[in-house]
Amino acid sequence: NEEVINYIYNDLYEFTMKKNEGSTNPAYYNTGSALRLYGKNSLTITTKAPIDSIVFVFDSEKPTGADNYSISSGTYTLEGTTGTLDLTDETNSVVLTNTASSGHFRIKSITIRFVEGSIVTTNSYAINQKEEMNDIGLRFGGIITKEL
């Protein structure tokens, strides 16, 4: 049921999860199919191109106020179980931290939208975001690509 997770990557992005000062490691649970970030855990998302926005779909356990999360850059808004992080500084790296001493966030999916006009080159393919406007997403349990 539980799998301790520290690192997920492909040619376009890396997700690094850290326990930090928390008492429980970040983990993926196939019951509910979600990545859990426990108290004091962090998730760093690093990409090959500048990030425009990141959409997190949570289960019922989600960051709801400045008292239980921090984000290294951008503006975070929550609507229902969907959290949107809008970035204006064209960064390639963002850190989401559960600042609470207990409890957890259940992240069901993450979708990254790159800055319009950025070009991402990898070993196997190139994506011109201005023309294709693809979102690269990770749904825990497998990688998905969503087209607008």
Side-chain angles (χ1 to χ4, degrees):
N1 182 353
E2 171 192 0
E3 178 184 346
V4 173
I5 247 177
N6 294 316
Y7 193 70
I8 300 170
Y9 70 95
N10 72 13
D11 289 342
L12 294 177
Y13 57 78
E14 297 177 355
F15 293 176
T16 306
M17 285 68 66
K18 292 185 179 176
K19 179 179 173 183
N20 300 321
E21 311 86 42
S23 59
T24 306
N25 285 311
Y28 169 80
Y29 280 81
N30 59 13
T31 309
S33 299
L35 172 69
R36 295 187 187 187
L37 284 183
Y38 291 93
K40 305 298 183 191
N41 291 177
S42 64
L43 165 65
T44 302
I45 299 172
T46 305
T47 63
K48 300 275 182 169
I51 302 166
D52 178 63
S53 63
I54 301 174
V55 176
F56 299 93
V57 176
F58 297 96
D59 198 331
S60 57
E61 304 296 327
K62 57 192 178 276
T64 55
D67 60 331
N68 70 347
Y69 77 91
S70 70
I71 295 181
S72 62
S73 184
T75 304
Y76 174 79
T77 56
L78 180 69
E79 195 170 311
T81 58
T82 301
T84 302
L85 175 60
D86 289 307
L87 298 155
T88 56
D89 58 356
E90 296 197 8
T91 186
N92 289 45
S93 185
V94 174
V95 181
L96 168 65
T97 303
N98 181 344
T99 58
S101 56
S102 63
H104 60 277
F105 305 153
R106 293 183 193 173
I107 304 171
K108 296 182 78 165
S109 70
I110 297 171
T111 301
I112 300 167
R113 184 180 190 110
F114 297 111
V115 170
E116 185 174 339
S118 65
I119 296 176
V120 180
T121 304
T122 68
N123 294 335
S124 56
Y125 54 91
I127 298 175
N128 182 324
Q129 291 306 123
K130 188 170 187 176
E131 293 173 8
E132 296 187 21
M133 294 299 289
N134 285 337
D135 290 341
I136 304 303
L138 180 96
R139 184 176 308 274
F140 296 101
I143 296 172
I144 60 165
T145 301
K146 293 170 42 177
E147 293 185 10
L148 296 176

